[in-house]
C-alpha cells in the first residue's frame, strides 16, 4: 500500500563508549546473578545445621560452652574490618589514588589471611573436643554435629581463600594501571564478592555461634 | 500509516566456518551453539542406545542379557542421566546460544569467554559420567535416593556426583550469560515486550537454573561427603534423614523439568507463528506464563514425595501442582489461537510443533492425574509415571527440539533440509512414539512397577508392543541425522530468510557473518506481525535486498520472489 | 561524572546519571549526616562503626540472656547487619533496582523451602 514508507538507516552499529558502559553494567549484573545462586547454596548448608539444631539444642549449647565466644568474635571483627578497608580502598580508586587503594587492599588481604589462620586454630580446638567431620571418629556427645558445622563454615572458609587470591590479583592489576576513577568495575565486582562473603559470615556467626 | 525501517546489510555470502573451528576453543556464540548441539546429539545417540538395551531386556518377563538386576539398574540410571543432563539441557543451551543473540540483534553473548568455558565443562563431565559406567556403575536411578546411592552403588556413583557438579557449574555460568545478554544486549528500539518469545523462554529457564541448581549442588556435596568422608547426613541409623535428600533433590529437579520444556515452548511460539503466518495470540500471556511457571515451579516439589509425606503435608502441594497447570494451559490455548484461521504451512517444523501440542497435552493431563494424591498413591512408581514423563520429555521437549532443528537449520548452515524426508521422519516418529509410550499407561495401571528387569508374565503382550515400537522409534532418529548430514552438503541454498520470518535472526545472511550483523539492527516493530500489509512490504523489500545478490553464481535456486500469496518454501 | 555510570537503558539514562552523581558525592564526602548530626567521618566508616556496635551488642546479649526472645533479637540484629552491608557497601541503594530483585528472589525461594523443612516435625511426620 502506498501509505507505507520505507527508509533505510545509515547509522553504524553500537558506538564504542556505549558498549563500554554496557560491559561495565554486565559484569556487575553477572556478579549479582552469581551471588544469587550462592545465596541458595549457603542457605542449604546453613539450613542443614538449623534444622538439626532445633532437634539437638543441648549438643550445640555444650559446644558453645566449651568453645567460648572470644575467638569467633575476633574473627567476626576481622572480617567486618576487612570489608570496611575494602570499601575505603574503592573510595581511593574513585579519586584516582592507586597507592591509597593498594594500602587498604593489602589490609583486606592480611585480615583475610588472619581470619583463615584463626579458623584453623578453632578447627583444631573443635577436633580436640571430638567434633570431627566423619561420624565414626566423632565423640558420642557431639555425634552428627561435625558435618553440619564444618560443611557450612569450611565452605565459607574456601570463599575467604578465593577472595584473598582475588584481592591480590586486583592489587596486581592496579599496579599495572588497570584502574582509575573512570574505570573501576573490576574493583567493584571483587568488592561485591568480598562483601557477600562478609554477609554470609554475619549470618553464620549469629546462627552457629550465638543463638 | 506504518513507517518501516529496513536494515541495509552488506555482501550476503558469509562462508560457513571450517570444520576444524568446531573442534577447538572458540568464543563465537555461533560456533559454541553448534558445539553444544552436536555434543548433545552424540549423547542422545548414546542414551538412545541404552534405551534400546532396556527395551530389549523387557521383551520377556525373565532376565535376558543382563545377568543380574544390577546390570539393569545401571542401564536405566545411565539412560536417564545422559538424556536429561547431557542431551536435553545442553541442547537447549546450545540452541539458545545460537539463536538468542541473533534474535536480539547482538554481536555475541555478553560474556563470550565464559560461554566457551561453560561449553567445555560439558566434555569432561560427559567423560566422567561414562567412565563411571565402567568402574562400577551407579545404580540408584537418576534421582540417586540414599541409602541406595550411598550404600549400594559402585564407585561410578561418586563420579556421577562429580560429573553432575561440573554440569551444574556449566549451567549456572550459561544461565548468568543468558540473563545478562537478554537484559543488556537488545537494540534500543526493542523493549521487553518486543522481544521474541524464545528469548523470554530462555530468560525464565535461566532464572530457574540460577536459583535451582545450587540446591542440587548443595545436596550433591552432602551426598559426596556421605560417600567418601564417612559423614551421616542421609543415614537415619546415625542421626541423619533420607528425606532431606528427597526434599533437596526435588527442590531442584522439579524446576529442572521446566528447564527442559520451557525453551521448547519458546520454540513452539516461534514456529507456530511463523508457519501459520499469524501474530502470536496473547503474546504477553505467553511471556508472563513462562515467568509464572518458573516461579510456581519452585513450590510444587513435594508432589514427587506424596508416598513419603504425612497426609496433611500433601494437600498444599496438590493445590500448587494444579495451579501450575494454568500457565501451561494458557500457552496451549494461545498456540491453538495462533494457528486458528492461519495460512498454515505443514512443513516438518510445523508438523513437529503440532505433534508437540498433541503429545504434551496427554503428558500434561496424566501429570494432573498424578498430581492428585489418591491417584498418585495408587500409581506411584509404576509404568504410568514412566509414560507420563516420557510424554512430556520426549513428546514435549524432544519434539520441540526436532521442530527447532527443522526451523533453524537453514539459518545455521545456509542449506534447506529435505522436506519429504522430514515428513517421513515426523510420521514414523509420531506413530512409533505413541505406540511406545501410550501402552505404558496401561501396564502401569495394571500394576507393573518401574525399574524392574523381571515382571509378571501377564504384562508381556503389551511389553512386546512397546519394545517393538521403541526399536522403530530408535531407528527413526537416524532419518533426521541422515537428513542433516545430507542437507549440509547437498541441500538447497536457503538464503537469509527462507520462512519469511520477522524476527531479527532472519535479517542477516545464513550462516551469519562474524559479529552477526552488518550495519545497524532495527527490529520490526512487532516480532510476530505476520499477515499485515506492513509485514508483506517489509519482507518483500528485505528479500529483494538480501537474497538475490548472494544466490546468483552459487548454483542454488533462489526462493520464489515476492508474490502476494505466501510462498511455501521447500515443499 | 564518568562513563561507567551510564545505564544502557535508554529510558532511564538521564535519570541514572544524576542519581549516580548524588551517590558519588555521598560516598566521597568527608562527613556524614546521621540523625540530624554531622559526624566527621566518611559514610563507609560510619557504617563500619554501626556494624561494630551491633556486633558487640549481639555478643553481650548472647552471653547475658537465654530465652527464645534472645534468639529473635539476635536474628533481627544479624539481618540488620547484613542489610547494612548489602545496601551501603554493595551499593544496592544507588545501583540498578534489578540487582535488588536478583538478591530478593533467592532469599524468598530459600525461605519457602526452609520454612517447609522446619515445620515438619522431626522423625514423625513423614
Amino acid at each position: 500500500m502506498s501509505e507505507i514508507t520505507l527508509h533505510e538507516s545509515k547509522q553504524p552499529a553500537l558506538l564504542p563508549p556505549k558498549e563500554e558502559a554496557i560491559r561495565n553494567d554486565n559484569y556487575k549484573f553477572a556478579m549479582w546473578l552469581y551471588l544469587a545462586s550462592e545465596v541458595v547454596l549457603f542457605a542449604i548448608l546453613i539450613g542443614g545445621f538449623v534444622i538439626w539444631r532445633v532437634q539437638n539444642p543441648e549438643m550445640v549449647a555444650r559446644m558453645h560452652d566449651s568453645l567460648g565466644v572470644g575467638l569467633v568474635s575476633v574473627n567476626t571483627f576481622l572480617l567486618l574490618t576487612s570489608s570496611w578497608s575494602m570499601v575505603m580502598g574503592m573510595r581511593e580508586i574513585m579519586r584516582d589514588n592507586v597507592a591509597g587503594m593498594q594500602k587498604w587492599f593489602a589490609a583486606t588481604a592480611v585480615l583475610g589471611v588472619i581470619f583463615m589462620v584463626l579458623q584453623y586454630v578453632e578447627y583444631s580446638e573443635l577436633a580436640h573436643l571430638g567434633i570431627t567431620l566423619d561420624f565414626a571418629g566423632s565423640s558420642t556427645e557431639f555425634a552428627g554435629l561435625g558435618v553440619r558445622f564444618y560443611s557450612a563454615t569450611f565452605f565459607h572458609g574456601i570463599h575467604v581463600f578465593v577472595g584473598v587470591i582475588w584481592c591480590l590479583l586486583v592489587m596486581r592489576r592496579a599496579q599495572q594501571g588497570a584502574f582509575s576513577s573512570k574505570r573501576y568495575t573490576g574493583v567493584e565486582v571483587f568488592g561485591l564478592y568480598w562483601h557477600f562473603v562478609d554477609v554470609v559470615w554475619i549470618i553464620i556467626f549469629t546462627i552457629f555461634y550465638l543463638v | 500509516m506504518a513507517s518501516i525501517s529496513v536494515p541495509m546489510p552488506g555482501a550476503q555470502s558469509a562462508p560457513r566456518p571450517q570444520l576444524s573451528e568446531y573442534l577447538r576453543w572458540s568464543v563465537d556464540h555461533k560456533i559454541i551453539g553448534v558445539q553444544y548441539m552436536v555434543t548433545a546429539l552424540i549423547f542422545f545417540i548414546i542414551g538412545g542406545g541404552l534405551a534400546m538395551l532396556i527395551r530389549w531386556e523387557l521383551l520377556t518377563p525373565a532376565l535376558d542379557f543382563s545377568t543380574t538386576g544390577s546390570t539393569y539398574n545401571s542401564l536405566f540410571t545411565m539412560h536417564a542421566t545422559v538424556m536429561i543432563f547431557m542431551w536435553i539441557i545442553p541442547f537447549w543451551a546450545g540452541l539458545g546460544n545460537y539463536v538468542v543473540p541473533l534474535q536480539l540483534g547482538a554481536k555475541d553473548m555478553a560474556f563470550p569467554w565464559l560461554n566457551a568455558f561453560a561449553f567445555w565443562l560439558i566434555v569432561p563431565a560427559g567423560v566422567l559420567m561414562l567412565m563411571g559406567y565402567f568402574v562400577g556403575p551407579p545404580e540408584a536411578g537418576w534421582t540417586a535416593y540414599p541409602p541406595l546411592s550411598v550404600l549400594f552403588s559402585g564407585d561410578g556413583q561418586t563420579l556421577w556426583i562429580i560429573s553432575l557438579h561440573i554440569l551444574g557449574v556449566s549451567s549456572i555460568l550459561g544461565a548468568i550469560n543468558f540473563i545478562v545478554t537478554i537484559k543488556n544486549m537488545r537494540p534500543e528500539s526493542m523493549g521487553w515486550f518486543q522481544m521474541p518469545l524464545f528469548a523470554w523462554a530462555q530468560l525464565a529457564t535461566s532464572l530457574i537454573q540460577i536459583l535451582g541448581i545450587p540446591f542440587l549442588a548443595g545436596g550433591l556435596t552432602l551426598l559426596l561427603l556421605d560417600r567418601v568422608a564417612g559423614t551421616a547426613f542421609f543415614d537415619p541409623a546415625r542421626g541423619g534423614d533420607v528425606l532431606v535428600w528427597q526434599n533437596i533433590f526435588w527442590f531442584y529437579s522439579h524446576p529442572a523439568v521446566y528447564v527442559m520444556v520451557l525453551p521448547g515452548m519458546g520454540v513452539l511460539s516461534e514456529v507456530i507463528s511463523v508457519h501459520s503466518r499469524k501474530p502470536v495470540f496473547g503474546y504477553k500471556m505467553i511471556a508472563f506464563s513462562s515467568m509464572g511457571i518458573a516461579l510456581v515451579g519452585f513450590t510444587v516439589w513435594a508432589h514427587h514425595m506424596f508416598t513419603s509425606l504425612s497426609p496433611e503435608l500433601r494437600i498444599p502441594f496438590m493445590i500448587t501442582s494444579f495451579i501450575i497447570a494454568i500457565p501451561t494451559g494458557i500457552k496451549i490455548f494461545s498456540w491453538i489461537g495462533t494457528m486458528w484461521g492461519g495460512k498454515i504451512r505443514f512443513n516438518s517444523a510445523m508438523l513437529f510443533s503440532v505433534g508437540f501440542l498433541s503429545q504434551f497435552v496427554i503428558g500434561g493431563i496424566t501429570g494432573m492425574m498424578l498430581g492428585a494424591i489418591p491417584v498418585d498413591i495408587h500409581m506411584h512408581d509404576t509404568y504410568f509415571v514412566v509414560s507420563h514423563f516420557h510424554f512430556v520429555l520426549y513428546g514435549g521437549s524432544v519434539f520441540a527440539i526436532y521442530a527447532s532443528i527443522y526451523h533453524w537449520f537453514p539459518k545455521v548452515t545456509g542449506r534447506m533440509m529435505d522436506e519429504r524426508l522430514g515428513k517421513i521422519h515426523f510420521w514414523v516418529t509420531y506413530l512409533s512414539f505413541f505406540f511406545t509410550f501410550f501402552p505404558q499407561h496401561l501396564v502401569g495401571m495394571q500394576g507393573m512397577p518401574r525399574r524392574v528387569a523381571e515382571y509378571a508374565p501377564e504384562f508381556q503382550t503389551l511389553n512386546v508392543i512397546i519394545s517393538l515400537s521403541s526399536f522403530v522409534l530408535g531407528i527413526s532418529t537416524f532419518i533426521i541425522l541422515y537428513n542433516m548430514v545430507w542437507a549440509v552438503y547437498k541441500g538447497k541454498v536457503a538464503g537469509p530468510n527462507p520462512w519469511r520470518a520477522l524476527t531479527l535472526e532472519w535479517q542477516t545472511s545464513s550462516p551469519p557473518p562474524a559479529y552477526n550483523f552488518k550495519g545497524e539492527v532495527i527490529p520490526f516493530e512487532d516480532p510476530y506481525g505476520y499477515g499485515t500489509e506492513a509485514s508483506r512490504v517489509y519482507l518483500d523489500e528485505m528479500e529483494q535486498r538480501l537474497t538475490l545478490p548472494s544466490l546468483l553464481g552459487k548454483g542454488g535456486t533462489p526462493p520464489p520472489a515476492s508474490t502476494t500469496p505466501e510462498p511455501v518454501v521447500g515443499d | 561524572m564518568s562513563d561507567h555510570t551510564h545505564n544502557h537503558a535508554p529510558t532511564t539514562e538521564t535519570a541514572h546519571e544524576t542519581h549516580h552523581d548524588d551517590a558519588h558525592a555521598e560516598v566521597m564526602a568527608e562527613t556524614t549526616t546521621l540523625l540530624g548530626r554531622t559526624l566527621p567521618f566518611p559514610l563507609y566508616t560510619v557504617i563500619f562503626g554501626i556494624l561494630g556496635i551491633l556486633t558487640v551488642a549481639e555478643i553481650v546479649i548472647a552471653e547475658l540472656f537465654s530465652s527464645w526472645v534472645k534468639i529473635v533479637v539476635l536474628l533481627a540484629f544479624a539481618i540488620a547487619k547484613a542489610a547494612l552491608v548489602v545496601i551501603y557497601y554493595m551499593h544496592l541503594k544507588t545501583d540498578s533496582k534489578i540487582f535488588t530483585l536478583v538478591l530478593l528472589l533467592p532469599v524468598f525461594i530459600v525461605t519457602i523451602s526452609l520454612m517447609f523443612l522446619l515445620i515438619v516435625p522431626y522423625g514423625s511426620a513423614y
Side-chain angles (χ1 to χ4, degrees), chain B residues 183-184 188 211 215 239 241 243 247 251 298 301 308-310 313 317, chain C residues 8 10 96 98 105-106 109-110 112-113 116-117 119-120 122 125-126:
Chain B
K183 177 183 169 274
N184 283 357
E188 298 208 347
L211 300 177
F215 279 96
D241 187 347
L243 286 160
N247 274 310
F251 208 83
F298 278 103
W301 78 95
S308 41
L309 285 182
S310 70
L313 287 174
F317 291 100
Chain C
H8 62 281
S96 168
I98 211 157
L105 212 56
I109 281 173
V110 156
I112 296 179
S113 67
F116 175 78
L117 292 180
I119 57 164
V120 174
Y122 189 69
Y126 289 126

Side-chain angles (χ1 to χ4, degrees), chain A residues 97-166:
Chain A
N97 182 359
V98 176
M101 176 197 143
Q102 298 279 42
K103 258 181 250 159
W104 284 110
F105 271 49
T108 306
V110 169
L111 290 167
V113 171
I114 301 176
F115 174 88
M116 285 189 290
V117 171
L118 288 185
Q119 198 166 36
Y120 174 77
V121 171
E122 184 195 84
Y123 279 5
S124 349
E125 269 182 46
L126 287 170
H128 197 66
L129 287 173
I131 301 175
T132 59
L133 183 64
D134 64 330
F135 189 87
S138 197
S139 74
T140 42
E141 53 176 344
F142 293 117
L145 173 63
V147 60
R148 288 164 182 89
F149 181 84
Y150 290 123
S151 57
T153 52
F154 185 68
F155 193 59
H156 174 267
I158 294 172
H159 278 75
V160 175
F161 178 74
V162 172
V164 169
I165 303 284
W166 193 349

Side-chain angles (χ1 to χ4, degrees), chain B residues 417-437:
Chain B
M417 288 171 80
D418 187 63
E419 272 301 320
R420 214 181 51 160
L421 264 183
K423 279 176 187 148
I424 294 172
H425 173 228
F426 170 74
W427 284 111
V428 175
T429 306
Y430 190 84
L431 292 173
S432 59
F433 167 82
F434 189 81
F435 286 107
T436 302
F437 294 108

